Amino acid sequence: MAILEVHNIEKNFGTLQVLQGISFSLEKGESMAIIGSSGSGKTTLLRCLNFLERPDNGKIMVNNEVIFDALDPCTQRESEVRKKRLHFGLVFQNFNLFPQYTALKNITLAAELLAKERPNFQKDKRIILKEIQEKGEMLLAQVGLSDKRDYYPHQLSGGQQQRVAIARALAMEPDILCFDEPTSALDPELTGEVLKVIRNLADRNTTMVIVTHEMAFARDVADRILFMDEGVIVEQGTPQEVFENPKEERTRQFLTRYNES
């Protein structure tokens, strides 16, 4: 059964149609890489999934539950947005860490804030916060930064900051982890350390949607490739199908430009 189903998503900014009839599904444990030129709608699609943008049309389902339907106002209540965002962890291009907090605090902050809403928080405060901190330390170890737990963002390299951002997204245990060009703000020598973390997540069967311009990485790591151009899905398939035997001329042209660059 698909963990994520996207049906006919459309998004307009004024008269500009950015997404047109976007439909796809994602199985639990599957990694999907979304590729395409700048301006093709890739980032807008991720922002719609995470409710940073509201689609103008279409439906989004997670675990067979409708979490957004453009025809059903009940699924669009602002009071429900935060809860629905918990389905999706989003790693941005530019880290977005809180500069006033340590690496560990950046990871645990959201969980601590949510914990305060638990009925038993005051009674079990010490136990709950200890569990959250231990989990944060485990995630730091997972991304190879145990020795940086007390460092502030300005004391970390770009690659280290992005690894903290990945750990922060994982801390909320999302159903689907989304990456928006996670290496685009990094120097080439730091790109590898972030891609290694994502590769390890794929090996652990983490369900992921990865917008990326790293074609070799997408080919090696993703279970499925989705190619977008001008707001539509032009082609999707396995890495072998899309990279070695693309069916659509637009896909072939894009890959040719990439190979020549």
Side-chain angles (χ1 to χ4, degrees):
M1 180 184 294
I3 191 170
L4 171 66
E5 297 175 69
V6 176
H7 300 282
N8 200 35
I9 289 295
E10 297 181 358
K11 179 62 184 176
N12 304 318
F13 294 111
T15 59
L16 179 63
Q17 193 169 23
V18 180
L19 297 176
Q20 307 174 48
I22 300 295
S23 298
F24 65 91
S25 62
L26 186 69
E27 300 294 321
K28 184 176 177 62
E30 186 178 39
S31 296
M32 172 184 285
I34 303 179
I35 62 174
S37 302
S38 297
S40 59
K42 306 184 301 296
T43 293
T44 300
L45 174 56
L46 286 193
R47 290 177 64 85
C48 285
L49 292 179
N50 202 54
F51 297 98
L52 295 173
E53 301 286 353
R54 180 174 295 180
D56 297 306
N57 190 40
K59 182 187 296 185
I60 300 171
M61 300 177 66
V62 175
N63 290 322
N64 210 33
E65 175 188 353
V66 176
I67 64 169
F68 175 84
D69 185 343
L71 300 178
D72 183 359
C74 292
T75 67
Q76 302 172 44
R77 294 172 180 161
E78 290 295 330
S79 59
E80 297 293 312
V81 166
R82 187 179 69 168
K83 184 190 303 181
K84 292 175 179 181
R85 281 183 180 150
L86 295 176
H87 291 294
F88 300 91
L90 181 56
V91 179
F92 297 89
Q93 296 180 19
N94 293 311
F95 324 140
N96 287 0
L97 300 180
F98 294 105
Q100 70 271 35
Y101 295 132
T102 64
L104 180 60
K105 188 67 172 181
N106 265 280
I107 293 168
T108 62
L109 181 61
E112 290 170 358
L113 293 174
L114 284 176
K116 292 178 180 180
E117 299 178 6
R118 297 188 202 175
N120 65 329
F121 179 74
Q122 291 302 323
K123 177 184 175 183
D124 300 326
K125 180 177 179 179
R126 289 184 60 186
I127 296 172
I128 292 171
L129 293 180
K130 184 174 183 290
E131 289 175 349
I132 291 173
Q133 177 153 321
E134 289 175 348
K135 181 178 179 182
E137 291 171 345
M138 179 196 70
L139 290 169
L140 271 176
Q142 185 175 329
V143 298
L145 292 174
S146 291
D147 60 334
K148 306 295 184 183
R149 54 164 285 168
D150 296 322
Y151 282 50
Y152 290 86
H154 74 273
Q155 297 174 303
L156 302 173
S157 70
Q160 290 169 339
Q161 290 185 60
Q162 192 63 299
R163 283 189 276 161
V164 172
I166 293 171
R168 179 179 60 184
L170 289 169
M172 302 310 296
E173 300 182 355
D175 294 299
I176 300 127
L177 187 58
C178 301
F179 294 88
D180 184 15
E181 298 278 15
T183 61
S184 64
L186 300 177
D187 294 331
E189 62 269 22
L190 299 176
T191 294
E193 65 186 59
V194 173
L195 295 182
K196 180 181 178 181
V197 170
I198 302 174
R199 189 185 301 270
N200 289 339
L201 291 171
D203 291 341
R204 293 172 181 231
N205 295 320
T206 305
T207 309
M208 296 186 288
V209 177
I210 309 163
V211 169
T212 183
H213 62 277
E214 301 286 348
M215 296 299 143
F217 173 77
R219 181 171 186 161
D220 292 343
V221 173
D223 299 296
R224 194 143 47 96
I225 304 294
L226 190 153
F227 169 58
M228 291 183 64
D229 187 40
E230 297 183 346
V232 301
I233 297 174
V234 176
E235 186 164 354
Q236 57 180 309
T238 66
Q240 183 176 12
E241 290 169 340
V242 174
F243 284 107
E244 296 184 13
N245 189 31
K247 297 181 176 64
E248 302 295 330
E249 180 61 26
R250 276 194 280 180
T251 312
R252 289 191 287 270
Q253 290 176 357
F254 170 78
L255 293 174
T256 297
R257 289 196 302 271
Y258 167 76
N259 291 328
E260 290 176 347
S261 62

